[in-house]
């Protein structure tokens, strides 16, 4: 069974920086004569505006990377200024983060709205990565992939311990019928192996550590079990 390595770029990178990321990642692979680890399903979630460019660069360098997005409209096509709906996303990406703690905190997204987003994403065939900060948070029906992200660990450089994260993830799995749960919150190249070693943890969701191509490359290498 593959483990997930899902890089969340959040609201970062210009087009030039996106180009540079894939070039440096590819240079690293060539220089070190390394292939992508076969035990890893690697996904990058850039800003919407860079999906097309990222897809072209992945093709150009022939990288086995998948694309994801960081949000989705709760509606289908229509008069919803500023929104991007699921079927549009499906033309470029396979995965869709929903309910990230930054969406909950800064954009006041709550369970009812998130449920609509999940329904739209699933209807269009996207794989939802539903983010929850704890065991109590409700997970909408139909979600197969959950990211457990304790708020104290996001962007702080202070991750949960792999043992604790593993335990909480087991609890999430036993409380909900969700087959896959990954961990997010200050994951780095240094600690990635420890999280992936936990039996209940099906992968990781690094934010900051996925922005730098050299660091991302080291995460990939250290994720190879
Ligand atoms: P971080 O972010 O790795 O920078 O802590 C994780 C996330 O918010 O998904």
């Amino acid at each position: 069974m593959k483990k997930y390595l899902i890089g969340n770029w959040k609201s970062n990178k210009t087009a030039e920086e996106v180009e540079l990321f894939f070039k440096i990642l590819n240079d690293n692979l060539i220089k070190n004569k390394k292939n992508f680890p076969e035990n890893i399903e690697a996904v990058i979630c850039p800003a919407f505006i860079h999906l097309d460019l990222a897809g072209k660069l992945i093709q150009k360098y022939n990288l086995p990377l998948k694309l994801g997005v960081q949000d989705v409209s709760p509606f289908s096509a229509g008069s919803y200024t500023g929104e991007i709906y699921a079927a549009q996303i499906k033309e470029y990406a396979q995965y869709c983060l929903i309910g990230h703690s930054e969406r909950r905190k800064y954009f006041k997204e709550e369970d009812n709205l998130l449920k609509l987003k999940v329904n739209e994403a699933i209807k269009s065939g996207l794989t939802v990565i539903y983010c929850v900060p704890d065991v109590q948070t409700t997970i909408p029906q139909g979600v197969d992939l959950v990211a457990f992200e304790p708020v104290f660990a996001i962007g702080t450089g202070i991750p949960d311990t792999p043992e604790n994260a593993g335990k909480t993830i087991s609890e999430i799995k036993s409380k909900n019928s969700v087959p896959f749960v990954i961990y997010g919150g200050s994951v780095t190249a240094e600690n990635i192996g420890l999280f992936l070693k936990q039996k209940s943890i099906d992968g990781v969701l690094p934010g900051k550590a996925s922005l730098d191509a050299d660091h991302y490359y080291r995460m990939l290498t250290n994720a190879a079990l």
Side-chain angles (χ1 to χ4, degrees), residues 8 10 100-102 149 153-157 184-187 205-209:
N8 176 8
K10 308 190 179 182
H100 189 279
S101 73
E102 287 150 13
E149 301 205 296
I154 297 181
T156 58
S186 299
V187 171
L205 176 51
K208 193 159 177 270

Side-chain angles (χ1 to χ4, degrees), residues 4-8 45 97 100 129 131 147-149 182-187 203-208 210:
Y4 294 95
L5 169 52
I6 301 175
N8 176 8
C45 303
L97 289 167
H100 189 279
I129 308 156
C131 305
F148 163 58
E149 301 205 296
I182 64 177
Y183 167 78
S186 299
V187 171
V204 287
L205 176 51
K208 193 159 177 270
S210 65

